[in-house]
Amino acid sequence: MSLSSKDKAAVKALWAKLSKSADDIGADALGRMFQVYPSTKTYFSHWNDLSIGSGPVKKHGKTVMGGVGLAVANIDDLVKGLFELSEKHAFELRVDPANFRILTHCLLVVVASKFPADFTPEAHVAFDKFLAAVSLALSEKYR
Amino acid sequence: MVEWSDQERSIINSIFASLDYEDIGPKALSRCLIVYPWTQRYFGGFGNLYNAEAIKTNPMIAAHGIKVLHGLDRAVKNMDNIKATYAELSVMHSEKLHIDPDNFKLLADCLTIVIAAKMGTAFTADIQAAFQKFLSVVVNALGRQYH
């Protein structure tokens, strides 16, 4: 299920509309994820506040979306472009890759709620494929 | 036995009370067929599914989307016994329709996203949590009689 040129164009077009709100989207998606999927909180036991709108959640949402933006910019070679993030996730963070799908779903829900007109089924399939490819690139060095 | 808080019951009832079945049903099913094209395997007799535009304007798909969405009504009315409520439908999906139960989750995800698009910022994390819990219980019940 690799990205066609049509997929890449759709992702870039959607990102152009989303990028100004990237920080909000990231914070909303993360906060939502912790509430809807409590098992994901296990990776953040060192934070004092995982509630929606909290400082740590906002800050980390921004970090995560920075990664998504980096992926969009490197959409033609995600494995190469996300090399350092991939190493970080493999050797330092060791987040179970099942969680990438969970965060992807929360991101899609937030994008749908904030940009209903832009998040057409066509944009949805391209973005879902893209985030799946990003997840794959991030888990590239796991084993 | 699934435990439902008063808040969760209220959220589920509220969503379905104000649900526009004729709008949401077709949107959810067509989105599923577009985003996860392999699900089209179950719709061989439904006419033109050649591209996204064809799927979105297909009247048979629209009618079926409404039917499937109304299928959730019995779960809303029997939240304390969804498992038994869907026993017969589960057998049907397994023995007659031969649908891979993984597909139930795909449709549930698309329905969540369509509802999120409709409700916008009103689709809070609390509401998402309750709605997804409800859908996962239904999905589980539908897959239960497979053997």
Side-chain angles (χ1 to χ4, degrees):
Chain A
M1 292 195 266
S2 50
L3 297 171
S4 67
S5 46
K6 192 171 153 221
D7 292 326
K8 292 179 190 177
V11 169
K12 286 180 188 168
L14 184 65
W15 184 251
K17 302 210 170 79
L18 304 184
S19 51
K20 271 189 288 301
S21 319
D23 293 354
D24 283 337
I25 292 171
D28 192 345
L30 256 188
R32 224 170 249 273
M33 184 183 76
F34 293 142
Q35 187 166 337
V36 180
Y37 302 92
S39 61
T40 56
K41 292 192 290 186
T42 55
Y43 293 96
F44 298 91
S45 50
H46 54 287
W47 285 4
N48 57 9
D49 189 353
L50 280 99
S51 58
I52 293 176
S54 74
V57 169
K58 274 186 171 155
K59 181 162 173 260
H60 200 64
K62 190 171 166 185
T63 302
V64 167
M65 291 310 275
V68 174
L70 179 68
V72 175
N74 287 277
I75 202 166
D76 289 318
D77 192 342
L78 287 171
V79 169
K80 182 156 163 249
L82 297 176
F83 187 87
E84 274 151 24
L85 272 176
S86 177
E87 292 213 314
K88 188 175 180 127
H89 281 74
F91 303 119
E92 191 192 319
L93 303 175
R94 290 175 291 192
V95 173
D96 189 312
N99 294 284
F100 298 151
R101 240 206 133 245
I102 292 175
L103 180 57
T104 291
H105 175 69
C106 292
L107 278 169
L108 297 180
V109 167
V110 170
V111 169
S113 69
K114 288 189 194 293
F115 300 88
D118 297 305
F119 200 57
T120 60
E122 293 91 328
H124 178 167
V125 61
F127 202 51
D128 190 35
K129 279 178 78 173
F130 167 69
L131 290 175
V134 170
S135 304
L136 213 56
L138 278 180
S139 47
E140 177 74 12
K141 299 187 184 43
Y142 271 53
R143 56 178 175 175
Chain B
M1 244 295 273
V2 183
E3 299 280 335
W4 302 99
S5 69
D6 287 339
Q7 196 204 23
E8 285 169 336
R9 285 179 202 274
S10 162
I11 286 170
I12 298 305
N13 282 305
S14 165
I15 289 177
F16 280 87
S18 54
L19 197 59
D20 183 352
Y21 289 79
E22 273 81 49
D23 178 44
I24 300 294
K27 279 188 177 146
L29 182 58
S30 57
R31 193 170 279 252
C32 186
L33 295 171
I34 293 166
V35 176
Y36 307 108
W38 53 91
T39 56
Q40 292 170 27
R41 74 190 307 284
Y42 302 110
F43 295 87
F46 277 66
N48 186 3
L49 301 178
Y50 192 61
N51 53 34
E53 206 44 50
I55 294 170
K56 281 193 269 190
T57 53
N58 185 317
M60 289 173 79
I61 293 295
H64 198 69
I66 298 170
K67 183 174 170 186
V68 167
L69 194 55
H70 273 296
L72 292 176
D73 291 344
R74 63 188 85 184
V76 179
K77 293 194 189 69
N78 294 283
M79 278 177 74
D80 289 311
N81 205 354
I82 291 179
K83 197 163 64 181
T85 303
Y86 282 109
E88 220 179 284
L89 264 179
S90 178
V91 170
M92 185 191 84
H93 280 75
S94 163
E95 294 184 5
K96 185 163 161 246
L97 303 176
H98 306 292
I99 297 182
D100 181 342
D102 274 351
N103 292 275
F104 303 150
K105 196 178 178 303
L106 300 179
L107 180 56
D109 283 350
C110 284
L111 180 56
T112 302
I113 282 167
V114 168
I115 299 268
K118 188 77 183 265
M119 291 178 67
T121 45
F123 194 64
T124 61
D126 280 342
I127 293 178
Q128 182 181 349
F131 192 58
Q132 288 193 197
K133 177 178 169 180
F134 172 76
L135 288 179
S136 73
V137 173
V138 171
V139 163
N140 227 285
L142 272 178
R144 226 172 166 272
Q145 303 304 325
Y146 280 63
H147 60 96

